[in-house]
Amino acid sequence: MTKKLYNLMDWAEIEAVTYAEEDHPKAVLGAHPVRGGQTLVTAYKPGATEVSVKVKGSRSAVKMELADEDGYFAALIKNKEPFEYELEVKDKDGKTVTECDPYSFPDSITKRDIQKFNSGIHYKVYELLGSHVMKLNGVPGVRFAVWAPNAMRVSVVGDFNDWDGRCHQMERVFDSGIFELFIPGVSEGDNYKYEIKLHNGQTLMKRDPYSLMREEKEDGASTVYDFNQLPGADGAWLEERGEKQSPDAPITIYEHKTTDFSKKDAKEIIKYANDYGYSHVLVSADFDPLYIASGDPNDISSFTDMLHKAGLSVLVRWCPATFPISEGGLSSYDGTCLYEDGDGNRSYVPGSDRKYFNLGSAGVKDYLLANAIYLLDVFHFDGLVVSDVARMLYLDYGKQDTGWTPNMYGGNENLDAIDFFRLLSTTLHKYSPDIILISDDDTAYSGITIPVDEEGLGFDYKINHGWSRDVLGYLKQEPLGRSNHYNEICFPMIYQYNEKFILPLYDIADIWKDMPGDRDEKFGNLKALLSYFMVHPGKKLLSVGPTDGKGKDIQAVQTLIKDVFDFYNKNETLYAKEMEQAGFEWINNISARENILVFARRGVKKDELFVVVANFANVPHKGYKIGVPRAGKYTEIFCSDSEKYDGFGFVNKNPMQSEASECDGREDSIRIRVAPLSVSVFKYAPAKGGTK
């Protein structure tokens, strides 16, 4: 090596590069101007026997000198930097490849990006971090970026560099915790990981938290995917989505578990959902807050687009509470508790190989918020059903016997989680005002669906597990013993308007089996349950219908489910005001001996009025007197005991004119036939001469 070149070497920095401990490799590698109008070009190519610099426009290449036997090469170029050049690298087998120098490209992450990220407000950080196919200075390649603030050094390793962490050491951007490197020649489909070197000398191999794809095998590598090829959301669908998802719209949700997002799967869902009259499909897939998908992300976009074209909104189940512990995952990502809380009492999940996210970290909030926006913006989902909300809200959830750390006030509320949910709802509705955010939790926490500016969490809806627990608990009793549990069927209306509720029913086939009595009683109970589900205030969620099997019972239930949803969808009286107290009125909720409930459902207009009679006893009644809200004509428009549903046909065939005879605290009443184990709906029409 010439003396002049020797004197230009920063041997301390060179040693850091050759020992793979450098977090600012661009300060040493690449092209740098030196005295005399020349440029020093350096490259670290372990295993190379010869490296030359080929400046664009020049006829010949300049052979670089070996400055360090580990593979550190240097050369002085007469051209004044900046200029474009390539490296010609010969390996020990004599093979020569020509490549662009990764360290000749400028950083593409700005200080503004870093400031937003550090403040927890970079809501589309998935466009910044991860692997992104792009062109820099006209050169195709992939920009890699990862958050690992406590690492000594981070390298990209993959198929393209024989998984050698010395080859592509990443640049720490502006002394932040983000590392970046653009690597020319890397393309879609290449597998990679990040090799993270800790200050104690240990190295970790980690997947990219923001990767769009990964290998299917356990702890498989991340895979480069061209983010730009994903289609945008369907504009025509977005124009009408708000109307379909408003609080005064009929919302019926079909929950479907899927893993492949195939066209075949989409076609089957569309047929089932449209046959039964669902408005929404809830996809229960493995969507931890990781940016990976099972298979090709384009399949997910195509899947949602197919459902949209069939008139179906698509929701996805999302769990921002915890992440799995795995060697290549988020746990101890840069050797420290980066994504999890440093307090072990807060980070561990009892009885699970998972950890809680640290919701007090700006970087973690960025990660989760951006992931939610990513699902909505990139895959076109119309809303999120957030799981494990209760687990996130309470620091002592499931930890009463194992120890937990209280908040700063000594309480068990997770203040960081409360702030996160408020930020989540505010941010998502800012980006997409017409999406819906649903809380799936079984907690008495108050204010889940109260607006953020009123100190609530800002969710649009909450799944009311208490309703199904109370109603099913009541119906599982023998009909003769239900009188002692009558309060259970009435209780949900006490808190019905504390939140905006979605009523869930899961596993209809199992519910049927658990019903008491013989075949007729089981069937009558199930029909009464499905009908009560329809007329009770609250949007509807049904996980699965009894679609398999043949036989008369199955067919009758299938018909009933279709008619129940059709009846709900076509009658504004049942859905337009179901989130308001003005939409419901008790008429009789004190007939515990008879196990009969009578109530009114009201629509927007004055004369939009239904009277519902639910008989949960296995006893019919003739001439049963009920009070009615107004004088007029009442016509039975639905009865679960109809022969159509394999019932006995104990129905009211003719309209009934009310009489001025007091009952149930009302001035007017009617006398009706009440079938056993049934629900009937009577439609009001004004009396001649006007309403009363």
Side-chain angles (χ1 to χ4, degrees):
M1 173 174 283
T2 64
K3 183 176 181 181
K4 183 176 181 181
L5 194 58
Y6 181 89
N7 290 334
L8 291 172
M9 297 294 100
D10 187 335
W11 295 107
E13 291 294 338
I14 291 172
E15 185 177 73
V17 169
T18 57
Y19 279 79
E21 295 178 346
E22 180 60 68
D23 62 351
H24 288 289
K26 288 185 180 181
V28 188
L29 301 176
H32 300 275
V34 295
R35 292 187 302 272
Q38 293 183 304
T39 298
L40 174 65
V41 178
T42 59
Y44 181 45
K45 297 295 178 183
T49 59
E50 185 178 309
V51 181
S52 299
V53 179
K54 179 69 180 295
V55 178
K56 184 177 181 181
S58 65
R59 293 182 178 181
S60 59
V62 177
K63 185 177 179 180
M64 304 180 77
E65 296 187 46
L66 183 63
D68 186 283
E69 61 183 8
D70 283 337
Y72 191 91
F73 293 84
L76 276 173
I77 307 297
K78 293 181 180 180
N79 303 54
K80 188 175 181 180
E81 199 269 343
F83 53 82
E84 295 182 31
Y85 67 93
E86 293 178 326
L87 299 175
E88 296 176 349
V89 183
K90 181 185 290 187
D91 64 19
K92 60 184 178 180
D93 297 324
K95 181 182 177 182
T96 300
V97 297
T98 301
E99 61 186 40
C100 292
D101 185 359
Y103 300 100
S104 68
F105 294 89
D107 295 338
S108 58
I109 295 177
T110 67
K111 286 186 177 181
R112 176 61 177 158
D113 285 324
I114 299 298
Q115 290 170 349
K116 289 171 64 178
F117 179 80
N118 289 339
S119 299
I121 57 172
H122 205 307
Y123 301 140
K124 287 194 174 183
V125 71
Y126 56 86
E127 295 179 346
L128 182 74
L129 301 182
S131 58
H132 293 274
V133 177
M134 61 175 60
K135 287 185 178 181
L136 281 184
N137 297 339
V139 178
V142 175
R143 185 194 69 196
F144 295 91
V146 65
W147 180 49
N150 302 298
M152 173 188 286
R153 178 268 300 167
V154 181
S155 296
V156 185
V157 294
D159 299 333
F160 39 84
N161 62 14
D162 295 326
W163 301 87
D164 188 336
R166 299 173 297 170
C167 295
H168 291 111
Q169 299 174 52
M170 303 177 75
E171 179 77 8
R172 186 189 293 268
V173 185
F174 302 118
D175 290 320
S176 69
I178 293 178
F179 290 77
E180 172 194 30
L181 189 64
F182 175 76
I183 306 180
V186 177
S187 59
E188 183 177 20
D190 285 338
N191 293 322
Y192 71 98
K193 285 187 177 183
Y194 294 119
E195 183 182 274
I196 300 175
K197 191 166 189 177
L198 311 183
H199 290 278
N200 63 5
Q202 180 186 3
T203 57
L204 307 174
M205 292 286 279
K206 293 288 188 176
R207 289 190 302 273
D208 187 346
Y210 290 87
S211 61
L212 301 185
M213 286 184 66
R214 80 172 187 192
E215 293 179 301
E216 294 294 333
K217 61 186 179 182
E218 185 177 355
D219 268 338
S222 300
T223 303
V224 175
Y225 185 87
D226 187 358
F227 179 85
N228 300 308
Q229 71 168 288
L230 290 170
D234 181 67
W237 172 259
L238 293 180
E239 289 182 5
E240 61 183 27
R241 182 171 71 179
E243 183 178 344
K244 290 178 175 289
Q245 304 203 139
S246 68
D248 57 357
I251 293 180
T252 50
I253 305 170
Y254 165 51
E255 183 166 7
H256 177 82
K257 295 182 179 179
T258 188
T259 56
D260 59 6
F261 294 96
S262 65
K263 289 184 178 179
K264 179 183 177 182
D265 197 20
K267 289 178 180 178
E268 291 176 353
I269 292 172
I270 289 169
K271 184 180 185 307
Y272 180 86
N274 284 341
D275 282 351
Y276 280 82
Y278 288 95
S279 63
H280 289 63
V281 173
L282 168 57
V283 180
S284 292
D286 184 16
F287 272 104
D288 280 330
L290 302 171
Y291 289 77
I292 55 175
S294 299
D296 191 331
N298 195 58
D299 290 343
I300 303 178
S301 289
S302 298
F303 177 92
T304 55
D305 284 345
M306 286 180 67
L307 267 63
H308 286 161
K309 289 175 181 177
L312 296 166
S313 295
V314 190
L315 311 174
V316 65
R317 195 172 282 281
W318 184 62
C319 179
T322 65
F323 60 87
I325 300 172
S326 65
E327 185 177 347
L330 297 180
S331 180
S332 301
Y333 193 79
D334 63 356
T336 68
C337 295
L338 188 61
Y339 286 91
E340 64 267 43
D341 198 303
D343 183 343
N345 281 341
R346 291 194 175 183
S347 64
Y348 87 97
V349 181
S352 171
D353 57 351
R354 302 179 71 89
K355 288 186 177 181
Y356 284 107
F357 279 104
N358 177 12
L359 298 176
S361 162
V364 172
K365 284 189 287 189
D366 265 334
Y367 180 74
L368 296 174
L369 288 168
N371 180 248
I373 293 173
Y374 166 80
L375 292 172
L376 300 170
D377 191 43
V378 174
F379 290 140
H380 324 156
F381 290 114
D382 302 296
L384 302 178
V385 176
V386 184
S387 301
D388 282 350
V389 172
R391 185 185 293 276
M392 297 172 71
L393 286 173
Y394 295 106
L395 296 168
D396 61 344
Y397 190 96
K399 298 181 178 181
Q400 289 82 357
D401 298 327
T402 56
W404 56 280
T405 302
N407 62 35
M408 67 176 70
Y409 303 111
N412 66 343
E413 297 90 356
N414 187 336
L415 304 180
D416 291 330
I418 293 171
D419 289 342
F420 169 75
F421 283 130
R422 289 172 176 166
L423 181 60
L424 175 72
S425 59
T426 301
T427 303
L428 295 189
H429 288 107
K430 175 184 176 182
Y431 272 94
S432 301
D434 54 0
I435 61 96
I436 54 177
L437 187 63
I438 300 171
S439 169
D440 187 2
D441 73 291
D442 194 7
T443 173
Y445 185 92
S446 178
I448 296 285
T449 59
I450 301 299
V452 172
D453 58 9
E454 297 177 20
E455 301 301 317
L457 299 188
F459 283 85
D460 296 293
Y461 298 102
K462 175 181 177 177
I463 296 178
N464 190 354
H465 293 285
W467 180 87
S468 56
R469 182 170 53 247
D470 292 334
V471 171
L472 291 177
Y474 170 77
L475 290 178
K476 287 179 181 179
Q477 304 297 323
E478 292 287 345
L480 290 176
R482 285 177 182 166
S483 296
N484 296 327
H485 298 269
Y486 187 73
N487 63 311
E488 293 177 20
I489 195 73
C490 300
F491 181 69
M493 283 309 303
I494 293 177
Y495 60 86
Q496 172 64 34
Y497 300 105
N498 293 347
E499 304 280 3
K500 296 179 177 65
F501 283 124
I502 293 174
L503 307 184
L505 278 181
Y506 298 103
D507 301 321
I508 295 298
D510 289 341
I511 291 174
W512 191 342
K513 293 175 184 176
D514 290 341
M515 291 293 185
D518 58 18
R519 177 267 174 198
D520 287 340
E521 283 191 349
K522 286 179 181 291
F523 193 39
N525 275 309
L526 183 62
K527 291 189 294 181
L529 169 64
L530 289 169
S531 303
Y532 190 66
F533 173 67
M534 169 189 70
V535 296
H536 195 285
K539 308 303 182 185
K540 321 300 179 188
L541 187 156
L542 195 62
S543 67
V544 64
T547 57
D548 53 343
K550 299 180 179 178
K552 196 173 182 181
D553 292 350
I554 293 289
Q555 293 174 355
V557 174
Q558 290 174 337
T559 301
L560 178 62
I561 293 175
K562 292 178 182 179
D563 284 2
V564 158
F565 282 148
D566 184 63
F567 188 80
Y568 172 76
N569 290 332
K570 289 181 178 178
N571 285 283
E572 192 176 356
T573 305
L574 290 178
Y575 63 75
K577 298 182 72 172
E578 63 185 338
M579 296 293 120
E580 305 173 31
Q581 287 184 316
F584 180 91
E585 176 188 350
W586 278 121
I587 294 175
N588 180 357
N589 62 345
I590 58 173
S591 293
R593 180 175 297 179
E594 293 87 0
N595 285 292
I596 287 178
L597 294 174
V598 185
F599 55 86
R601 293 295 312 276
R602 299 181 183 275
V604 176
K605 298 178 181 178
K606 183 178 180 182
D607 292 336
E608 290 178 344
L609 171 65
F610 288 169
V611 171
V612 178
V613 180
N615 179 16
F616 295 110
N618 197 9
V619 178
H621 298 273
K622 287 185 177 180
Y624 191 82
K625 187 177 182 181
I626 63 171
V628 292
R630 296 180 189 167
K633 185 186 296 183
Y634 289 83
T635 303
E636 187 176 70
I637 57 174
F638 176 88
C639 180
S640 63
D641 193 56
S642 168
E643 293 179 358
K644 182 179 181 181
Y645 313 124
D646 197 26
F648 296 102
F650 196 70
V651 298
N652 297 273
K653 296 181 179 180
N654 300 315
M656 288 156 288
Q657 182 67 42
S658 64
E659 299 178 351
S661 177
E662 190 276 335
C663 183
D664 297 325
R666 270 92 179 152
E667 295 179 359
D668 300 283
S669 61
I670 57 175
R671 291 186 178 272
I672 60 174
R673 291 156 64 98
V674 181
L677 300 174
S678 69
V679 172
S680 296
V681 180
F682 297 85
K683 183 177 181 179
Y684 164 78
K688 293 181 180 180
T691 60
K692 182 177 179 180

